[in-house]
Amino acid sequence: MASIEEEIKQQKKFDNEHQKAAVNLMFTSNWLYNSNASRLKKHDITPEQFNVLRILRGSYPKPLMLGEITCRMLDKSSNATRLVEKLRQKGYVEREQCETNRRQVDIVITEKGLSLLTKIDNEAEEWNNSIKTITKAEAQELNRILDKLRR
Amino acid sequence: MASIEEEIKQQKKFDNEHQKAAVNLMFTSNWLYNSNASRLKKHDITPEQFNVLRILRGSYPKPLMLGEITCRMLDKSSNATRLVEKLRQKGYVEREQCETNRRQVDIVITEKGLSLLTKIDNEAEEWNNSIKTITKAEAQELNRILDKLRR
DNA sequence: ACGAAATAGTTGTATACACAACTATTGCAG
DNA sequence: CTGCAATAGTTGTGTATACAACTATTTCGT
């Protein structure tokens, strides 16, 4: 088992438990992100692109405009225009100018996109296990503390 | 108060508490990172560069070779060569080829770098409060769960 | 002593985030 | 109706991560 101090080879003790939690949080998030990135890599898709596809599946068959995608993303300041363009080039989404409001661009996931998500879902076993080292009760407690932290 | 579902405007319920915790973790980490980035911005330094400087202060006055910096960093796959070069251009660190092993490059923080860290420490009040919405006991529990999660 | 393997670091290319400036379209006050 | 503000999206520049190929140096087996 590796404590956060061991992971980053900390020489000195942390000032306090809060500082340590902040570092631990970011370190663990990176760890999780990298684990996710590596399982998606064989499908030639990044976690950010995957996230956008899942958002679009959530709304399917209704399209979403770019702004709606942005506000559902984990990282709000990411650039939906460019992410969507990457997905379009791969054939996973389609873009169309909205007829009633020509400023808007409507995005919809394609059949190909949906079937990619299905394939990834089906092999998610390994990924799911990587976070099942904690119990359901611990996951709930984690969610509670994280929600409180952001207040 | 904003639950993770509200933050990302989730349409459907999460499959389970573990999935939700994984998303919550990454979302909260981004939130924390952005909060950190914005306080450092007025000093024209990024969180990654700041992290490298603190690592070097931890070892001061002993220099560290690039590889030692890398393995202490939060994100191991980041590129210490390029980060250190940015810091060198700003005058916060010095690089020198190691005499006993010419493959190595020794890095040491400068007086200017140390005084920058001191200045940032002195105005860290606001940042510290941002994670004090949780109690010390909750911070400890968070640390315990995160360490367990990575096993 | 020689050459292969290991070690330390550098560099190139693709992806994504951060921020700001920019275009195009729509809505609204007067 | 006109023009200004608000909205929706695009694009440019700088920073950092991901991964792999590369150079230089040292170590070690024979």
Side-chain angles (χ1 to χ4, degrees):
Chain A
M1 184 217 63
S3 71
I4 183 64
E5 284 94 342
E6 290 166 311
E7 297 275 20
I8 61 171
K9 286 151 195 76
Q10 184 91 0
Q11 306 94 324
K12 299 171 185 168
K13 282 278 174 205
F14 282 102
D15 283 359
N16 60 59
E17 206 67 25
H18 286 85
Q19 291 289 335
K20 180 171 155 182
V23 171
N24 206 344
L25 190 54
M26 291 194 271
F27 184 85
T28 306
S29 171
N30 280 342
W31 178 86
L32 204 55
Y33 176 89
N34 289 334
S35 150
N36 196 28
S38 101
R39 78 167 172 134
L40 292 174
K41 187 156 194 221
K42 59 176 92 59
H43 299 288
D44 194 30
I45 197 177
T46 66
E48 292 78 9
Q49 290 169 16
F50 179 60
N51 189 32
V52 170
L53 277 186
R54 278 191 305 185
I55 288 167
L56 287 169
R57 179 172 62 181
S59 137
Y60 185 80
K62 198 167 74 65
L64 287 179
M65 51 180 269
L66 273 173
E68 288 176 275
I69 295 175
T70 298
C71 76
R72 283 174 171 76
M73 281 166 48
L74 287 181
D75 203 320
K76 311 298 189 201
S77 70
S78 179
N79 197 319
T81 300
R82 290 187 265 228
L83 280 178
V84 163
E85 176 57 17
K86 295 262 165 63
L87 291 170
R88 196 191 59 76
Q89 282 170 9
K90 293 174 189 166
Y92 297 137
V93 305
E94 275 167 5
R95 316 178 16 127
E96 196 172 357
Q97 193 176 47
C98 177
E99 296 188 359
T100 61
N101 183 343
R102 283 185 303 164
R103 284 172 304 188
Q104 284 183 214
V105 182
D106 286 338
I107 319 289
V108 67
I109 188 168
T110 61
E111 283 299 327
K112 186 177 172 190
L114 287 169
S115 82
L116 174 70
L117 289 183
T118 304
K119 207 191 314 174
I120 293 174
D121 284 345
N122 288 338
E123 63 186 38
E125 188 86 22
E126 194 190 348
W127 157 253
N128 287 334
N129 286 337
S130 76
I131 51 174
K132 290 229 169 108
T133 52
I134 61 176
T135 65
K136 185 177 173 189
E138 285 169 332
Q140 278 167 342
E141 178 68 355
L142 181 55
N143 280 315
R144 187 189 68 75
I145 296 176
L146 292 176
D147 285 351
K148 186 176 177 192
L149 178 58
R150 287 195 314 277
R151 263 183 243 166
Chain B
M1 185 217 63
S3 72
I4 184 64
E5 285 94 343
E6 290 165 311
E7 296 275 20
I8 63 172
K9 289 152 194 73
Q10 185 91 3
Q11 306 92 328
K12 299 172 184 167
K13 280 279 176 205
F14 281 102
D15 284 0
N16 60 58
E17 206 67 25
H18 286 85
Q19 292 290 336
K20 179 170 155 182
V23 171
N24 206 343
L25 191 53
M26 291 194 272
F27 184 84
T28 306
S29 171
N30 281 342
W31 178 87
L32 204 55
Y33 177 89
N34 290 333
S35 149
N36 197 25
S38 100
R39 78 166 172 133
L40 292 173
K41 187 153 196 226
K42 60 177 92 60
H43 300 288
D44 193 30
I45 197 175
T46 68
E48 292 79 9
Q49 292 169 11
F50 179 60
N51 190 31
V52 170
L53 277 187
R54 276 190 307 184
I55 288 167
L56 288 169
R57 178 171 65 180
S59 136
Y60 184 80
K62 197 167 76 65
L64 286 178
M65 52 180 271
L66 272 172
E68 289 176 274
I69 295 175
T70 298
C71 77
R72 284 173 171 77
M73 280 167 48
L74 287 180
D75 204 319
K76 312 298 189 200
S77 71
S78 176
N79 198 319
T81 300
R82 290 188 266 226
L83 280 178
V84 164
E85 177 56 17
K86 295 262 166 61
L87 290 170
R88 196 191 61 75
Q89 283 169 9
K90 293 174 190 167
Y92 297 137
V93 304
E94 276 166 5
R95 314 178 19 125
E96 194 172 0
Q97 194 174 47
C98 175
E99 295 190 359
T100 61
N101 185 341
R102 283 185 304 166
R103 283 172 307 188
Q104 283 182 214
V105 183
D106 286 337
I107 319 287
V108 66
I109 189 170
T110 61
E111 283 300 326
K112 187 178 172 190
L114 287 169
S115 81
L116 174 70
L117 288 184
T118 303
K119 206 191 314 175
I120 293 174
D121 284 345
N122 288 339
E123 64 186 36
E125 186 86 21
E126 193 190 349
W127 157 253
N128 287 334
N129 287 337
S130 77
I131 52 172
K132 291 229 169 104
T133 52
I134 61 176
T135 66
K136 185 176 173 189
E138 284 169 333
Q140 278 169 341
E141 178 69 354
L142 180 55
N143 280 315
R144 187 188 69 76
I145 296 176
L146 292 176
D147 286 351
K148 187 177 176 192
L149 177 58
R150 287 195 314 276
R151 263 184 239 168

PDB file of all heavy atoms in Angstrom, chain B residues 65 96-106, chain C residues 7-9, chain D residues 25-27:
ATOM      1  N   MET B  65      18.742  16.265  -9.148  1.00  0.00           N
ATOM      2  CA  MET B  65      18.841  15.985 -10.573  1.00  0.00           C
ATOM      3  C   MET B  65      17.435  15.913 -11.153  1.00  0.00           C
ATOM      4  O   MET B  65      16.446  15.761 -10.419  1.00  0.00           O
ATOM      5  CB  MET B  65      19.612  14.699 -10.843  1.00  0.00           C
ATOM      6  CG  MET B  65      19.116  13.502 -10.076  1.00  0.00           C
ATOM      7  SD  MET B  65      20.056  12.005 -10.441  1.00  0.00           S
ATOM      8  CE  MET B  65      19.117  11.371 -11.844  1.00  0.00           C
ATOM      9  N   GLU B  96      23.063  22.981 -13.721  1.00  0.00           N
ATOM     10  CA  GLU B  96      24.495  22.772 -13.890  1.00  0.00           C
ATOM     11  C   GLU B  96      24.743  21.295 -14.142  1.00  0.00           C
ATOM     12  O   GLU B  96      24.130  20.432 -13.492  1.00  0.00           O
ATOM     13  CB  GLU B  96      25.229  23.219 -12.627  1.00  0.00           C
ATOM     14  CG  GLU B  96      26.717  23.341 -12.840  1.00  0.00           C
ATOM     15  CD  GLU B  96      27.370  23.989 -11.611  1.00  0.00           C
ATOM     16  OE1 GLU B  96      26.644  24.307 -10.658  1.00  0.00           O
ATOM     17  OE2 GLU B  96      28.592  24.151 -11.635  1.00  0.00           O
ATOM     18  N   GLN B  97      25.609  21.019 -15.095  1.00  0.00           N
ATOM     19  CA  GLN B  97      25.945  19.631 -15.365  1.00  0.00           C
ATOM     20  C   GLN B  97      26.712  19.074 -14.166  1.00  0.00           C
ATOM     21  O   GLN B  97      27.625  19.721 -13.659  1.00  0.00           O
ATOM     22  CB  GLN B  97      26.806  19.530 -16.633  1.00  0.00           C
ATOM     23  CG  GLN B  97      26.903  18.101 -17.152  1.00  0.00           C
ATOM     24  CD  GLN B  97      27.649  18.043 -18.490  1.00  0.00           C
ATOM     25  OE1 GLN B  97      28.702  18.647 -18.645  1.00  0.00           O
ATOM     26  NE2 GLN B  97      27.099  17.315 -19.433  1.00  0.00           N
ATOM     27  N   CYS B  98      26.317  17.880 -13.735  1.00  0.00           N
ATOM     28  CA  CYS B  98      26.969  17.261 -12.585  1.00  0.00           C
ATOM     29  C   CYS B  98      28.393  16.842 -12.962  1.00  0.00           C
ATOM     30  O   CYS B  98      28.620  16.268 -14.024  1.00  0.00           O
ATOM     31  CB  CYS B  98      26.163  16.056 -12.145  1.00  0.00           C
ATOM     32  SG  CYS B  98      26.922  15.099 -10.829  1.00  0.00           S
ATOM     33  N   GLU B  99      29.352  17.114 -12.087  1.00  0.00           N
ATOM     34  CA  GLU B  99      30.751  16.842 -12.435  1.00  0.00           C
ATOM     35  C   GLU B  99      31.109  15.362 -12.344  1.00  0.00           C
ATOM     36  O   GLU B  99      31.909  14.863 -13.124  1.00  0.00           O
ATOM     37  CB  GLU B  99      31.679  17.650 -11.526  1.00  0.00           C
ATOM     38  CG  GLU B  99      31.530  19.152 -11.734  1.00  0.00           C
ATOM     39  CD  GLU B  99      32.605  19.945 -11.011  1.00  0.00           C
ATOM     40  OE1 GLU B  99      33.442  19.337 -10.333  1.00  0.00           O
ATOM     41  OE2 GLU B  99      32.588  21.185 -11.144  1.00  0.00           O
ATOM     42  N   THR B 100      30.497  14.675 -11.382  1.00  0.00           N
ATOM     43  CA  THR B 100      30.855  13.268 -11.189  1.00  0.00           C
ATOM     44  C   THR B 100      30.131  12.346 -12.166  1.00  0.00           C
ATOM     45  O   THR B 100      30.599  11.242 -12.431  1.00  0.00           O
ATOM     46  CB  THR B 100      30.532  12.812  -9.753  1.00  0.00           C
ATOM     47  OG1 THR B 100      29.122  12.948  -9.542  1.00  0.00           O
ATOM     48  CG2 THR B 100      31.286  13.647  -8.742  1.00  0.00           C
ATOM     49  N   ASN B 101      28.997  12.812 -12.701  1.00  0.00           N
ATOM     50  CA  ASN B 101      28.262  11.994 -13.665  1.00  0.00           C
ATOM     51  C   ASN B 101      27.700  12.929 -14.717  1.00  0.00           C
ATOM     52  O   ASN B 101      26.659  13.556 -14.502  1.00  0.00           O
ATOM     53  CB  ASN B 101      27.146  11.216 -12.962  1.00  0.00           C
ATOM     54  CG  ASN B 101      26.440  10.270 -13.911  1.00  0.00           C
ATOM     55  OD1 ASN B 101      26.526  10.427 -15.131  1.00  0.00           O
ATOM     56  ND2 ASN B 101      25.734   9.298 -13.366  1.00  0.00           N
ATOM     57  N   ARG B 102      28.366  12.980 -15.833  1.00  0.00           N
ATOM     58  CA  ARG B 102      28.028  14.013 -16.810  1.00  0.00           C
ATOM     59  C   ARG B 102      26.693  13.805 -17.519  1.00  0.00           C
ATOM     60  O   ARG B 102      26.260  14.633 -18.300  1.00  0.00           O
ATOM     61  CB  ARG B 102      29.158  14.134 -17.836  1.00  0.00           C
ATOM     62  CG  ARG B 102      30.363  14.891 -17.276  1.00  0.00           C
ATOM     63  CD  ARG B 102      31.405  15.115 -18.321  1.00  0.00           C
ATOM     64  NE  ARG B 102      31.821  13.848 -18.913  1.00  0.00           N
ATOM     65  CZ  ARG B 102      32.521  13.750 -20.028  1.00  0.00           C
ATOM     66  NH1 ARG B 102      32.865  14.827 -20.697  1.00  0.00           N
ATOM     67  NH2 ARG B 102      32.865  12.563 -20.499  1.00  0.00           N
ATOM     68  N   ARG B 103      26.044  12.662 -17.218  1.00  0.00           N
ATOM     69  CA  ARG B 103      24.690  12.503 -17.758  1.00  0.00           C
ATOM     70  C   ARG B 103      23.699  13.362 -16.973  1.00  0.00           C
ATOM     71  O   ARG B 103      22.673  13.785 -17.475  1.00  0.00           O
ATOM     72  CB  ARG B 103      24.233  11.042 -17.640  1.00  0.00           C
ATOM     73  CG  ARG B 103      24.815  10.127 -18.661  1.00  0.00           C
ATOM     74  CD  ARG B 103      24.468   8.701 -18.343  1.00  0.00           C
ATOM     75  NE  ARG B 103      24.843   8.345 -16.976  1.00  0.00           N
ATOM     76  CZ  ARG B 103      24.785   7.122 -16.481  1.00  0.00           C
ATOM     77  NH1 ARG B 103      24.336   6.129 -17.224  1.00  0.00           N
ATOM     78  NH2 ARG B 103      25.138   6.872 -15.254  1.00  0.00           N
ATOM     79  N   GLN B 104      24.015  13.557 -15.707  1.00  0.00           N
ATOM     80  CA  GLN B 104      23.083  14.242 -14.817  1.00  0.00           C
ATOM     81  C   GLN B 104      23.140  15.755 -14.973  1.00  0.00           C
ATOM     82  O   GLN B 104      24.174  16.326 -15.302  1.00  0.00           O
ATOM     83  CB  GLN B 104      23.436  13.949 -13.356  1.00  0.00           C
ATOM     84  CG  GLN B 104      23.017  12.590 -12.889  1.00  0.00           C
ATOM     85  CD  GLN B 104      23.346  12.388 -11.426  1.00  0.00           C
ATOM     86  OE1 GLN B 104      23.669  11.281 -11.016  1.00  0.00           O
ATOM     87  NE2 GLN B 104      23.288  13.439 -10.633  1.00  0.00           N
ATOM     88  N   VAL B 105      21.963  16.371 -14.689  1.00  0.00           N
ATOM     89  CA  VAL B 105      21.898  17.821 -14.622  1.00  0.00           C
ATOM     90  C   VAL B 105      21.367  18.180 -13.245  1.00  0.00           C
ATOM     91  O   VAL B 105      20.275  17.756 -12.869  1.00  0.00           O
ATOM     92  CB  VAL B 105      20.962  18.389 -15.707  1.00  0.00           C
ATOM     93  CG1 VAL B 105      20.971  19.902 -15.672  1.00  0.00           C
ATOM     94  CG2 VAL B 105      21.375  17.893 -17.079  1.00  0.00           C
ATOM     95  N   ASP B 106      22.128  18.919 -12.479  1.00  0.00           N
ATOM     96  CA  ASP B 106      21.696  19.307 -11.133  1.00  0.00           C
ATOM     97  C   ASP B 106      20.959  20.627 -11.173  1.00  0.00           C
ATOM     98  O   ASP B 106      21.396  21.570 -11.830  1.00  0.00           O
ATOM     99  CB  ASP B 106      22.916  19.436 -10.203  1.00  0.00           C
ATOM    100  CG  ASP B 106      23.471  18.071  -9.835  1.00  0.00           C
ATOM    101  OD1 ASP B 106      22.703  17.088  -9.923  1.00  0.00           O
ATOM    102  OD2 ASP B 106      24.656  17.988  -9.462  1.00  0.00           O
TER     103      ASP B 106
ATOM    104  P    DT C   7      18.888   0.847 -14.931  1.00  0.00           P
ATOM    105  OP1  DT C   7      19.032   0.608 -13.482  1.00  0.00           O
ATOM    106  OP2  DT C   7      17.591   0.713 -15.621  1.00  0.00           O
ATOM    107  O5'  DT C   7      19.457   2.299 -15.225  1.00  0.00           O
ATOM    108  C5'  DT C   7      20.770   2.626 -14.790  1.00  0.00           C
ATOM    109  C4'  DT C   7      21.105   4.024 -15.247  1.00  0.00           C
ATOM    110  O4'  DT C   7      21.231   4.047 -16.682  1.00  0.00           O
ATOM    111  C3'  DT C   7      20.051   5.082 -14.886  1.00  0.00           C
ATOM    112  O3'  DT C   7      20.716   6.082 -14.147  1.00  0.00           O
ATOM    113  C2'  DT C   7      19.545   5.574 -16.246  1.00  0.00           C
ATOM    114  C1'  DT C   7      20.737   5.284 -17.132  1.00  0.00           C
ATOM    115  N1   DT C   7      20.511   5.107 -18.588  1.00  0.00           N
ATOM    116  C2   DT C   7      21.259   5.866 -19.448  1.00  0.00           C
ATOM    117  O2   DT C   7      22.075   6.684 -19.085  1.00  0.00           O
ATOM    118  N3   DT C   7      21.012   5.624 -20.780  1.00  0.00           N
ATOM    119  C4   DT C   7      20.123   4.716 -21.319  1.00  0.00           C
ATOM    120  O4   DT C   7      20.012   4.600 -22.534  1.00  0.00           O
ATOM    121  C5   DT C   7      19.370   3.954 -20.361  1.00  0.00           C
ATOM    122  C7   DT C   7      18.362   2.947 -20.838  1.00  0.00           C
ATOM    123  C6   DT C   7      19.586   4.185 -19.052  1.00  0.00           C
ATOM    124  P    DA C   8      19.896   7.278 -13.451  1.00  0.00           P
ATOM    125  OP1  DA C   8      20.657   7.686 -12.266  1.00  0.00           O
ATOM    126  OP2  DA C   8      18.473   6.881 -13.338  1.00  0.00           O
ATOM    127  O5'  DA C   8      19.998   8.418 -14.559  1.00  0.00           O
ATOM    128  C5'  DA C   8      21.228   9.093 -14.741  1.00  0.00           C
ATOM    129  C4'  DA C   8      21.018  10.280 -15.658  1.00  0.00           C
ATOM    130  O4'  DA C   8      20.939   9.799 -17.021  1.00  0.00           O
ATOM    131  C3'  DA C   8      19.722  11.050 -15.396  1.00  0.00           C
ATOM    132  O3'  DA C   8      20.040  12.427 -15.214  1.00  0.00           O
ATOM    133  C2'  DA C   8      18.872  10.817 -16.641  1.00  0.00           C
ATOM    134  C1'  DA C   8      19.907  10.472 -17.701  1.00  0.00           C
ATOM    135  N9   DA C   8      19.443   9.560 -18.744  1.00  0.00           N
ATOM    136  C8   DA C   8      18.673   8.438 -18.585  1.00  0.00           C
ATOM    137  N7   DA C   8      18.421   7.801 -19.714  1.00  0.00           N
ATOM    138  C5   DA C   8      19.070   8.560 -20.672  1.00  0.00           C
ATOM    139  C6   DA C   8      19.182   8.427 -22.064  1.00  0.00           C
ATOM    140  N6   DA C   8      18.639   7.427 -22.758  1.00  0.00           N
ATOM    141  N1   DA C   8      19.906   9.360 -22.720  1.00  0.00           N
ATOM    142  C2   DA C   8      20.464  10.366 -22.028  1.00  0.00           C
ATOM    143  N3   DA C   8      20.427  10.592 -20.715  1.00  0.00           N
ATOM    144  C4   DA C   8      19.707   9.646 -20.085  1.00  0.00           C
ATOM    145  P    DG C   9      18.894  13.506 -14.918  1.00  0.00           P
ATOM    146  OP1  DG C   9      19.510  14.608 -14.165  1.00  0.00           O
ATOM    147  OP2  DG C   9      17.683  12.825 -14.413  1.00  0.00           O
ATOM    148  O5'  DG C   9      18.609  14.059 -16.376  1.00  0.00           O
ATOM    149  C5'  DG C   9      19.732  14.555 -17.111  1.00  0.00           C
ATOM    150  C4'  DG C   9      19.392  14.663 -18.568  1.00  0.00           C
ATOM    151  O4'  DG C   9      18.950  13.397 -19.091  1.00  0.00           O
ATOM    152  C3'  DG C   9      18.264  15.654 -18.897  1.00  0.00           C
ATOM    153  O3'  DG C   9      18.872  16.763 -19.548  1.00  0.00           O
ATOM    154  C2'  DG C   9      17.332  14.873 -19.813  1.00  0.00           C
ATOM    155  C1'  DG C   9      18.176  13.669 -20.230  1.00  0.00           C
ATOM    156  N9   DG C   9      17.425  12.473 -20.557  1.00  0.00           N
ATOM    157  C8   DG C   9      16.748  11.639 -19.695  1.00  0.00           C
ATOM    158  N7   DG C   9      16.170  10.626 -20.293  1.00  0.00           N
ATOM    159  C5   DG C   9      16.483  10.805 -21.629  1.00  0.00           C
ATOM    160  C6   DG C   9      16.144  10.014 -22.759  1.00  0.00           C
ATOM    161  O6   DG C   9      15.470   8.984 -22.798  1.00  0.00           O
ATOM    162  N1   DG C   9      16.671  10.554 -23.933  1.00  0.00           N
ATOM    163  C2   DG C   9      17.441  11.701 -24.002  1.00  0.00           C
ATOM    164  N2   DG C   9      17.862  12.070 -25.216  1.00  0.00           N
ATOM    165  N3   DG C   9      17.777  12.432 -22.959  1.00  0.00           N
ATOM    166  C4   DG C   9      17.263  11.934 -21.808  1.00  0.00           C
TER     167       DG C   9
ATOM    168  P    DT D  25      28.903  12.904 -23.665  1.00  0.00           P
ATOM    169  OP1  DT D  25      29.357  14.141 -23.000  1.00  0.00           O
ATOM    170  OP2  DT D  25      29.670  12.274 -24.767  1.00  0.00           O
ATOM    171  O5'  DT D  25      28.693  11.822 -22.532  1.00  0.00           O
ATOM    172  C5'  DT D  25      27.895  12.164 -21.399  1.00  0.00           C
ATOM    173  C4'  DT D  25      27.689  10.938 -20.564  1.00  0.00           C
ATOM    174  O4'  DT D  25      26.972   9.949 -21.317  1.00  0.00           O
ATOM    175  C3'  DT D  25      28.972  10.249 -20.095  1.00  0.00           C
ATOM    176  O3'  DT D  25      29.031  10.448 -18.687  1.00  0.00           O
ATOM    177  C2'  DT D  25      28.802   8.787 -20.504  1.00  0.00           C
ATOM    178  C1'  DT D  25      27.298   8.697 -20.761  1.00  0.00           C
ATOM    179  N1   DT D  25      26.804   7.677 -21.724  1.00  0.00           N
ATOM    180  C2   DT D  25      25.988   6.697 -21.254  1.00  0.00           C
ATOM    181  O2   DT D  25      25.678   6.584 -20.092  1.00  0.00           O
ATOM    182  N3   DT D  25      25.545   5.808 -22.222  1.00  0.00           N
ATOM    183  C4   DT D  25      25.842   5.827 -23.573  1.00  0.00           C
ATOM    184  O4   DT D  25      25.369   4.986 -24.323  1.00  0.00           O
ATOM    185  C5   DT D  25      26.695   6.902 -23.999  1.00  0.00           C
ATOM    186  C7   DT D  25      27.070   7.013 -25.431  1.00  0.00           C
ATOM    187  C6   DT D  25      27.139   7.776 -23.068  1.00  0.00           C
ATOM    188  P    DT D  26      30.314   9.946 -17.823  1.00  0.00           P
ATOM    189  OP1  DT D  26      30.404  10.818 -16.646  1.00  0.00           O
ATOM    190  OP2  DT D  26      31.467   9.720 -18.719  1.00  0.00           O
ATOM    191  O5'  DT D  26      29.788   8.526 -17.305  1.00  0.00           O
ATOM    192  C5'  DT D  26      28.595   8.489 -16.530  1.00  0.00           C
ATOM    193  C4'  DT D  26      28.149   7.051 -16.343  1.00  0.00           C
ATOM    194  O4'  DT D  26      27.816   6.457 -17.617  1.00  0.00           O
ATOM    195  C3'  DT D  26      29.179   6.127 -15.683  1.00  0.00           C
ATOM    196  O3'  DT D  26      28.576   5.624 -14.515  1.00  0.00           O
ATOM    197  C2'  DT D  26      29.453   5.057 -16.743  1.00  0.00           C
ATOM    198  C1'  DT D  26      28.152   5.090 -17.553  1.00  0.00           C
ATOM    199  N1   DT D  26      28.209   4.627 -18.963  1.00  0.00           N
ATOM    200  C2   DT D  26      27.412   3.596 -19.360  1.00  0.00           C
ATOM    201  O2   DT D  26      26.667   3.007 -18.614  1.00  0.00           O
ATOM    202  N3   DT D  26      27.505   3.275 -20.698  1.00  0.00           N
ATOM    203  C4   DT D  26      28.310   3.870 -21.649  1.00  0.00           C
ATOM    204  O4   DT D  26      28.298   3.504 -22.798  1.00  0.00           O
ATOM    205  C5   DT D  26      29.137   4.951 -21.158  1.00  0.00           C
ATOM    206  C7   DT D  26      30.041   5.663 -22.102  1.00  0.00           C
ATOM    207  C6   DT D  26      29.051   5.282 -19.854  1.00  0.00           C
ATOM    208  P    DT D  27      29.421   4.735 -13.451  1.00  0.00           P
ATOM    209  OP1  DT D  27      28.944   5.119 -12.124  1.00  0.00           O
ATOM    210  OP2  DT D  27      30.862   4.777 -13.800  1.00  0.00           O
ATOM    211  O5'  DT D  27      28.881   3.273 -13.767  1.00  0.00           O
ATOM    212  C5'  DT D  27      27.476   3.059 -13.867  1.00  0.00           C
ATOM    213  C4'  DT D  27      27.199   1.619 -14.275  1.00  0.00           C
ATOM    214  O4'  DT D  27      27.384   1.466 -15.706  1.00  0.00           O
ATOM    215  C3'  DT D  27      28.142   0.596 -13.612  1.00  0.00           C
ATOM    216  O3'  DT D  27      27.331  -0.483 -13.159  1.00  0.00           O
ATOM    217  C2'  DT D  27      29.077   0.178 -14.747  1.00  0.00           C
ATOM    218  C1'  DT D  27      28.149   0.315 -15.953  1.00  0.00           C
ATOM    219  N1   DT D  27      28.783   0.549 -17.285  1.00  0.00           N
ATOM    220  C2   DT D  27      28.308  -0.150 -18.367  1.00  0.00           C
ATOM    221  O2   DT D  27      27.423  -0.973 -18.285  1.00  0.00           O
ATOM    222  N3   DT D  27      28.932   0.159 -19.566  1.00  0.00           N
ATOM    223  C4   DT D  27      29.944   1.082 -19.773  1.00  0.00           C
ATOM    224  O4   DT D  27      30.409   1.261 -20.887  1.00  0.00           O
ATOM    225  C5   DT D  27      30.384   1.771 -18.587  1.00  0.00           C
ATOM    226  C7   DT D  27      31.479   2.779 -18.717  1.00  0.00           C
ATOM    227  C6   DT D  27      29.792   1.484 -17.412  1.00  0.00           C
TER     228       DT D  27
END
